[in-house]
Amino acid sequence: GDSVTQTEGLVTLTEGLPVMLNCTYQSTYSPFLFWYVQHLNEAPKLLLKSFTDNKRPEHQGFHATLHKSSSSFHLQKSSAQLSDSALYYCALSDRDYGSSGNKLIFGIGTLLSVKP
Amino acid sequence: GPKVLQIPSHQIIDMGQMVTLNCDPVSNHLYFYWYKQILGQQMEFLVNFYNGKVMEKSKLFKDQFSVERPDGSYFTLKIQPTALEDSAVYFCASRHRVNTEVFFGKGTRLTVV
C-alpha cells in the first residue's frame, strides 16, 4: 500500500543554518504530496502542497520539490528561525478518483528544534 | 483562518465505558475525517464521512466505532465499548470539497484506563 517515510525523528540546528527535512514515498498512482506543520499545542496545518505542473511550492521561506524519479519531496529552507521549531509531517494523497474523499497518509513526523 | 474545534482536549475513561469525541468542523465544509495517532507513531486515517454517510474506513475503524453528524451539528466519533488500545490522540479534520485544503483540529487525547 501507499506509505510515507521520514527518516529523521529529531533535527536540531542553530538559527540561521539551512534546513532540510527528508520525505520519501511509495504510491501506486501519482499522488499529491504535502507538508504539514504542528506547533506546540496547535493543530497541524498545511505548509506546502505539490503542484501538478511541477512548479516548486513555497511558503514562509520553506520550499519543496517533488522528484518523481526518486519519489521524494524534501522540505528545505535557507535559514532557520527560532519560530520554525515544530513538528513537521509529510503526507500524500491519491489523486481524486470518484468520491473516495482523498484521505491523507502521513509519515511519522520530524521534530525540528532551532536553537539560538 | 478557518478552525476545527475539538472538545474536550483530554478525556480519561474506564475501559469498557462508552466515549463520544466531538468535533465542530469549519462551517461550509462537506467532508469530514477522523485520524488516530498512538504515541510515537504516525497519524493514521480512520474514516471519512460525506453527505451523511461513511465513504471509506480503514481497518483501524473497529466495529465498536461509529460516526455521525446529526442535523449538521457536531461530527462525532463514538467508541462503545472502549479498550486499552483505543488510547491515542484523535484528530478531526474537514474540507470543503475534494482536492481542497484539509483543516485539522488540535486533537483529543483519549486515555483508557
Side-chain angles (χ1 to χ4, degrees), chain A residues 4 32 36 38 41-44 46 49 89 93-96 99-104 106-108, chain B residues 3 31 33 35 37 40-45 48 55-56 91 95 98-106:
Chain A
V4 175
F32 287 111
Y36 278 83
Q38 185 179 22
N41 297 322
E42 294 296 321
L46 181 66
K49 174 187 169 183
Y89 291 104
S93 175
D94 285 345
R95 296 187 183 280
D96 177 40
S99 57
S100 68
N102 303 103
K103 65 179 183 285
L104 288 164
F106 285 89
I108 200 165
Chain B
K3 288 194 186 302
Y31 291 84
Y33 305 80
Y35 288 83
Q37 186 176 35
Q41 299 183 21
Q42 64 257 64
M43 244 190 289
E44 292 191 88
F45 168 78
N48 64 14
M55 302 300 294
E56 183 181 359
F91 289 93
R95 74 195 320 167
V98 292
N99 292 334
T100 59
E101 183 175 346
V102 176
F103 291 87
F104 283 84
K106 292 185 182 184

Side-chain angles (χ1 to χ4, degrees), chain A residues 7 19-20 28 47 54 56 94 96 102 114:
Chain A
T7 52
V19 179
M20 179 154 148
T28 309
L47 181 62
N54 292 325
R56 190 180 81 167
D94 285 345
D96 177 40
N102 303 103
V114 182

Side-chain angles (χ1 to χ4, degrees), chain A residues 13-15 82 114-116:
Chain A
L13 47 77
T14 303
E15 188 180 17
L82 296 176
V114 182
K115 308 285 187 195

Side-chain angles (χ1 to χ4, degrees), chain A:
Chain A
D2 294 355
S3 65
V4 175
T5 301
Q6 294 179 253
T7 52
E8 310 116 333
L10 171 65
V11 171
T12 303
L13 47 77
T14 303
E15 188 180 17
L17 289 182
V19 179
M20 179 154 148
L21 305 184
N22 291 321
C23 173
T24 56
Y25 65 91
Q26 284 189 307
S27 179
T28 309
Y29 305 104
S30 286
F32 287 111
L33 270 293
F34 305 82
W35 278 99
Y36 278 83
V37 59
Q38 185 179 22
H39 287 94
L40 190 62
N41 297 322
E42 294 296 321
K45 64 180 179 184
L46 181 66
L47 181 62
L48 292 175
K49 174 187 169 183
S50 61
F51 287 106
T52 54
D53 59 0
N54 292 325
K55 276 196 288 199
R56 190 180 81 167
E58 296 196 30
H59 186 61
Q60 297 178 350
F62 285 95
H63 59 90
T65 303
L66 180 61
H67 290 289
K68 293 180 183 177
S69 58
S70 57
S71 299
S72 66
F73 191 60
H74 304 321
L75 183 68
Q76 295 178 275
K77 186 176 183 181
S78 59
S79 174
Q81 298 176 283
L82 296 176
S83 57
D84 294 331
S85 294
L87 188 54
Y88 291 80
Y89 291 104
C90 185
L92 71 77
S93 175
D94 285 345
R95 296 187 183 280
D96 177 40
Y97 288 99
S99 57
S100 68
N102 303 103
K103 65 179 183 285
L104 288 164
I105 295 168
F106 285 89
I108 200 165
T110 297
L111 182 61
L112 176 64
S113 176
V114 182
K115 308 285 187 195

Side-chain angles (χ1 to χ4, degrees), chain B residues 12-31:
Chain B
I12 301 172
I13 195 123
D14 290 326
M15 183 176 65
Q17 297 295 304
M18 181 194 78
V19 68
T20 301
L21 307 184
N22 294 304
C23 170
D24 188 9
V26 179
S27 62
N28 65 342
H29 283 190
L30 302 175
Y31 291 84

